[in-house]
Amino acid sequence: MAEQDLSEYARSLVADVQATSEAEGSMHQDVFTARVLYDLEQAGVLENPFGAYHSGRGFEVSGYGLSADETALDLFVTEFDVEPLDRKATKAQMDAAFRRLLAFARRCREGLAQYIDESSDVHDMCVAVDKALSEVARVRLLFLTNRICTASVVPPTEFDGLPVSREVWDVARLHRNETSGSLAEPILVEFDPPLPCVLTPSDEADHSVVLGVIPGSTLADLYEVHWTRLLELNVRSYLQAKGGVNRGIRETIRKTPGRFLAYNNGITATATEVEFVRDAEGRPTHVNSVQGLQIVNGGQTTASLYYARARDRADLSAVQVQMKLTKVAPERLSDIVKKISEYSNTQNRVTQVDFSSNDAFHVDVQRYTRSLWAPAPDGSSQETHWFYERARGQYTDELTKAATAPRQQKFKRVNPLKQKFTKTDLAKYVHSWEQLPHLVSRAAQKNFVEFTLRVTEEPPEVDTQYCRRVIAMAILFKAVDRVAARHEAASHKSHVTTYTMARLVLAADRRIDLDRIWQEQRITPALEEAIDSLCPLVMKAVLTPLRGNNVGEWAKKGECWDMVSRVQWKVPGELEAELRVTPLHASGLSAGSDVVAEGTEVELLAVPVEEWSAIARWAKETHSLSPWQRQLLQQVGRRLELDETVPAHQASQAVQTRSKALEFGFRP
């Protein structure tokens, strides 16, 4: 990171906080807190953070957050300085901040809420923290500051038996988060003792290779601390102990741990920085620390070691693992990692789909869908996720992470298996919408390759709206599939489904309201009736090959789509009444997003400014919305009152939250 870049970022951050503070009449500290919480939530560091400052004798807190699975409690305290680069935050100051946070947690357990006005946000926070401390599995403390910290590695501690991790987010780390295109904050590992190694000579300027041996217990520790973040550049998540290779790893650990080094292929890892211990002649002898560690091959070995210790109580003290560590220039990371994965992965079969796991498109889809809550179709409060499995095995891996049976049941409720979809599923849904059913009929792998080429040539703008609409396509596709089953498409159902959806979209001129499908999480009766009338017509065309082709080969041809596209069928009046006025653009919906964003803006501005605050007050009194939703409404109201631009994602969330409030009984 260039020093000038950091200086400019720090000055810009101070200027932005001061300007916002003056415009809103808010304290600098509160504005800085809101800004940082928003950035970290967008980066996936925090989930549902809620800002509420409170302090007393010996304690201080700026807000809290609770993970989506309710297994982790976050408490954070912020510090803002108008001259951040002139005064550094010392280790003593950081330690004091963490002590104040733990003191706040202690006070919450002792009944601090009873001394706080029940109408205040702080009261809500105290109640939530007290409740969470008896239910979560771990606590995380975060010190957020726009100063530069002199120490950033803080050892864990504990609170009433709960493990407590402590993180420092200073201005340098905030800058990295905002400007980095990587998957997450780079993993820093310091090895104690350092790992013996051999640095191999290389004529390549963009990378160098280190060969070494890492203790199995150290590898298991890394997985336990960083979990799947350690494998983000791996083409797969852990595939459990079901395959022959993973069963073999487990048996070796249990029965002959001393032979693990001889039997196992080891791991291939990458890092952006490597620090060595050198001998008297300056030659590297040991790896002291690595920055940006990622395991790109050997994820099965790593996870197997962890699970053998956690589940089987295996002793890993005799297990040694060979490691090839490649130091890669950050700008070459994506290209080189893909080649390393492709050429070194020989343990379990890896497909072309796996090699695309780390493409920016799929990373973005995963990032947005993980934080996207789907409305409950039955009107209940049980919102869910559509789980995008970017890498093979992620769903099972996350389910395993929820170690107890109750937590696994909760994970399944929030992430229903029927709402899991893969990269090949996504390609199938989008290509059916884009009227390319002949590509879909060429089977998952070939269709995905075509999809990848199209995405590379014309990358869609992946955001919340894009992901909602892709999920709406999935709901539509599944509904068409059910209709095709009713019409006894039998072994040709997959062809009939994609062709029926494509013909439907063509007839409707892409005006099917995907936003409504997303909001209701189902198709309308009028849409289902239309599909029911269209499906047998399409099925007849698909199952009647020209010139002696069999159905499977016929469905792969553009001629088949040409014939289906000319099937005589008109959109029924009931469905016509539900269609959008303007079509959604065929290629990834990027062009159509402007139209809908404009519509959202019109809907936002049509609501009286004072109504946004009124909804927040009503929700506070009735406990009908989450704290973050109330906070969102207040923030949107303030922006509109100050005639500021409301970001597109906030506008969309605000409109949806207002709709939910109306459903729950709010009356303007």
Side-chain angles (χ1 to χ4, degrees):
M1 176 195 321
E3 185 65 31
Q4 182 64 25
D5 291 341
L6 177 59
S7 299
E8 290 177 359
Y9 172 78
R11 285 194 294 269
S12 174
L13 181 59
V14 169
D16 180 62
V17 168
Q18 289 177 322
T20 304
S21 176
E22 183 177 350
E24 296 182 353
S26 304
M27 300 290 290
H28 287 167
Q29 188 86 358
D30 295 337
V31 173
F32 173 69
T33 298
R35 160 74 182 265
V36 173
L37 295 188
Y38 175 80
D39 289 345
L40 295 185
E41 184 177 20
Q42 291 297 303
V45 176
L46 298 177
E47 293 181 285
N48 304 318
F50 180 59
Y53 181 80
H54 188 55
S55 64
R57 186 170 182 177
F59 70 86
E60 182 181 17
V61 65
S62 299
Y64 77 102
L66 194 62
S67 64
D69 59 4
E70 298 183 10
T71 62
L73 170 68
D74 292 333
L75 295 174
F76 36 84
V77 63
T78 60
E79 178 189 79
F80 177 77
D81 194 322
V82 293
E83 297 178 350
L85 299 183
D86 293 341
R87 292 185 292 273
K88 289 182 169 57
T90 65
K91 184 178 185 302
Q93 291 170 324
M94 290 185 290
D95 290 341
F98 291 134
R99 283 197 300 272
R100 293 196 298 272
L101 279 176
L102 284 180
F104 169 74
R106 176 72 61 192
R107 292 296 304 275
C108 286
R109 278 211 159 163
E110 295 170 351
L112 179 61
Q114 63 185 311
Y115 305 107
I116 309 295
D117 182 357
E118 290 188 7
S119 65
S120 73
D121 292 337
V122 174
H123 180 271
D124 283 354
M125 174 174 64
C126 294
V127 171
V129 169
D130 181 30
K131 182 174 183 292
L133 286 171
S134 62
E135 298 176 349
V136 299
R138 59 189 183 279
V139 177
R140 180 170 57 160
L141 309 180
L142 297 97
F143 177 51
L144 316 174
T145 178
N146 70 325
R147 293 186 186 184
I148 291 179
C149 294
T150 56
S152 58
V153 179
V154 187
T157 182
E158 62 93 28
F159 175 80
D160 285 357
L162 289 174
V164 177
S165 61
R166 298 179 288 180
E167 295 185 10
V168 176
W169 284 81
D170 65 352
V171 67
R173 192 174 182 186
L174 291 172
H175 177 245
R176 288 198 302 271
N177 175 68
E178 186 162 307
T179 58
S180 173
S182 61
L183 299 174
E185 177 70 13
I187 294 174
L188 172 65
V189 179
E190 295 182 344
F191 295 108
D192 185 17
L195 305 179
C197 73
V198 175
L199 177 63
T200 61
S202 173
D203 295 329
E204 301 290 337
D206 56 4
H207 76 277
S208 57
V209 179
V210 179
L211 302 178
V213 175
I214 182 171
S217 57
T218 300
L219 206 50
D221 290 342
L222 288 173
Y223 190 76
E224 181 176 14
V225 172
H226 302 289
W227 203 249
T228 52
R229 278 192 60 219
L230 190 65
L231 312 178
E232 279 178 334
L233 296 184
N234 198 298
V235 296
R236 296 169 302 212
S237 282
Y238 179 53
L239 301 180
Q240 309 302 313
K242 299 174 183 177
V245 172
N246 289 350
R247 281 199 301 270
I249 292 174
R250 186 180 178 189
E251 287 302 300
T252 302
I253 294 170
R254 293 174 59 191
K255 297 179 179 179
T256 54
R259 298 181 182 178
F260 195 90
L261 185 63
Y263 290 170
N264 188 264
N265 288 339
I267 65 171
T268 300
T270 62
T272 54
E273 295 292 338
V274 181
E275 180 183 301
F276 295 102
V277 176
R278 299 178 182 272
D279 61 17
E281 284 75 33
R283 292 172 298 198
T285 60
H286 294 75
V287 175
N288 192 45
S289 66
V290 294
Q291 174 80 11
L293 179 66
Q294 282 287 301
I295 295 175
V296 298
N297 181 252
Q300 310 307 304
T301 295
T302 304
S304 294
L305 287 165
Y306 167 76
Y307 286 116
R309 185 175 67 182
R311 293 175 179 168
D312 303 334
R313 308 299 183 199
D315 181 6
L316 303 183
S317 59
V319 175
Q320 298 289 322
V321 184
Q322 61 179 324
M323 175 178 67
K324 181 176 74 172
L325 176 65
T326 304
K327 178 186 174 185
V328 184
E331 64 274 11
R332 296 282 292 141
L333 191 63
S334 178
D335 294 338
I336 291 179
V337 165
K338 182 175 289 190
K339 291 299 183 184
I340 291 174
S341 298
E342 182 175 354
Y343 296 144
S344 67
N345 204 313
T346 58
Q347 292 187 344
N348 285 304
R349 180 175 175 267
V350 181
T351 66
Q352 182 61 43
V353 176
D354 290 321
F355 290 132
S356 301
S357 296
N358 301 314
D359 290 351
F361 170 82
H362 299 290
V363 172
D364 288 341
V365 171
Q366 175 183 305
R367 182 162 55 91
Y368 280 104
T369 53
R370 287 290 195 277
S371 61
L372 197 58
W373 287 97
D378 58 2
S380 69
S381 59
Q382 182 59 67
E383 297 177 326
T384 57
H385 291 305
W386 281 75
F387 191 100
Y388 183 58
E389 197 172 57
R390 176 178 63 85
R392 224 171 7 131
Q394 279 184 323
Y395 185 91
T396 304
D397 206 18
E398 289 297 320
L399 180 61
T400 304
K401 181 180 176 182
T404 65
R407 288 177 183 169
Q408 289 188 345
Q409 288 300 318
K410 182 172 183 179
F411 175 83
K412 291 177 182 178
R413 285 197 303 272
V414 175
N415 303 275
L417 186 59
K418 66 179 181 180
Q419 291 178 195
K420 183 193 86 169
F421 65 113
T422 65
K423 295 187 295 297
T424 55
D425 290 331
L426 184 148
K428 177 173 61 179
Y429 303 147
V430 174
H431 272 179
S432 296
W433 174 270
E434 294 185 351
Q435 300 158 52
L436 298 167
H438 52 295
L439 298 185
V440 177
S441 295
R442 294 176 185 174
Q445 288 277 339
K446 291 182 179 179
N447 179 57
F448 182 80
V449 170
E450 294 289 345
F451 176 77
T452 300
L453 292 174
R454 292 170 60 82
V455 168
T456 302
E457 292 171 0
E458 189 178 353
E461 181 181 348
V462 179
D463 54 14
T464 300
Q465 186 181 73
Y466 177 86
C467 291
R468 284 175 180 157
R469 290 180 175 173
V470 165
I471 291 170
M473 293 178 201
I475 295 170
L476 177 60
F477 186 95
K478 290 171 181 285
V480 174
D481 195 60
R482 289 192 297 271
V483 173
R486 288 205 303 265
H487 284 281
E488 300 180 350
S491 61
H492 302 302
K493 181 164 66 73
S494 60
H495 304 313
V496 173
T497 297
T498 183
Y499 272 94
T500 300
M501 179 167 165
R503 184 66 183 87
L504 174 71
V505 174
L506 175 65
D509 191 26
R510 304 190 309 277
R511 292 184 295 123
I512 295 172
D513 194 345
L514 294 177
D515 295 329
R516 178 174 179 177
I517 293 176
W518 158 261
Q519 190 61 40
E520 298 179 359
Q521 291 290 293
R522 59 165 69 100
I523 65 172
T524 65
L527 183 51
E528 181 152 3
E529 289 177 12
I531 296 169
D532 192 60
S533 69
L534 172 62
C535 184
L537 303 177
V538 171
M539 187 161 64
K540 182 179 179 180
V542 173
L543 301 186
T544 310
L546 295 181
R547 292 188 296 278
N549 289 304
N550 63 54
V551 173
E553 291 303 313
W554 167 240
K556 298 175 184 178
K557 298 180 180 295
E559 295 172 274
C560 183
W561 170 234
D562 183 59
M563 175 174 284
V564 172
S565 66
R566 290 186 278 111
V567 165
Q568 294 300 304
W569 185 81
K570 184 178 180 181
V571 174
E574 294 82 358
L575 177 57
E576 182 66 41
E578 296 179 357
L579 298 181
R580 294 166 45 87
V581 176
T582 55
L584 291 172
H585 192 267
S587 59
L589 310 182
S590 54
S593 298
D594 296 333
V595 176
V596 177
E598 183 179 339
T600 301
E601 182 180 358
V602 170
E603 190 173 352
L604 186 80
L605 297 177
V607 178
V609 172
E610 60 273 13
E611 185 174 310
W612 298 108
S613 298
I615 299 174
R617 289 194 300 272
W618 167 85
K620 173 75 173 178
E621 295 167 0
T622 61
H623 305 286
S624 299
L625 299 174
S626 301
W628 72 267
Q629 291 174 312
R630 299 198 298 267
Q631 189 179 37
L632 168 71
L633 295 174
Q634 291 172 341
Q635 187 174 30
V636 168
R638 285 197 300 269
R639 288 185 181 276
L640 292 173
E641 189 175 3
L642 296 169
D643 199 27
E644 294 181 352
T645 300
V646 177
H649 72 279
Q650 281 194 356
S652 178
Q653 288 178 332
V655 169
Q656 288 191 21
T657 302
R658 179 178 180 271
S659 297
K660 182 174 290 188
L662 293 172
E663 291 176 12
F664 289 167
F666 173 75
R667 294 294 174 263

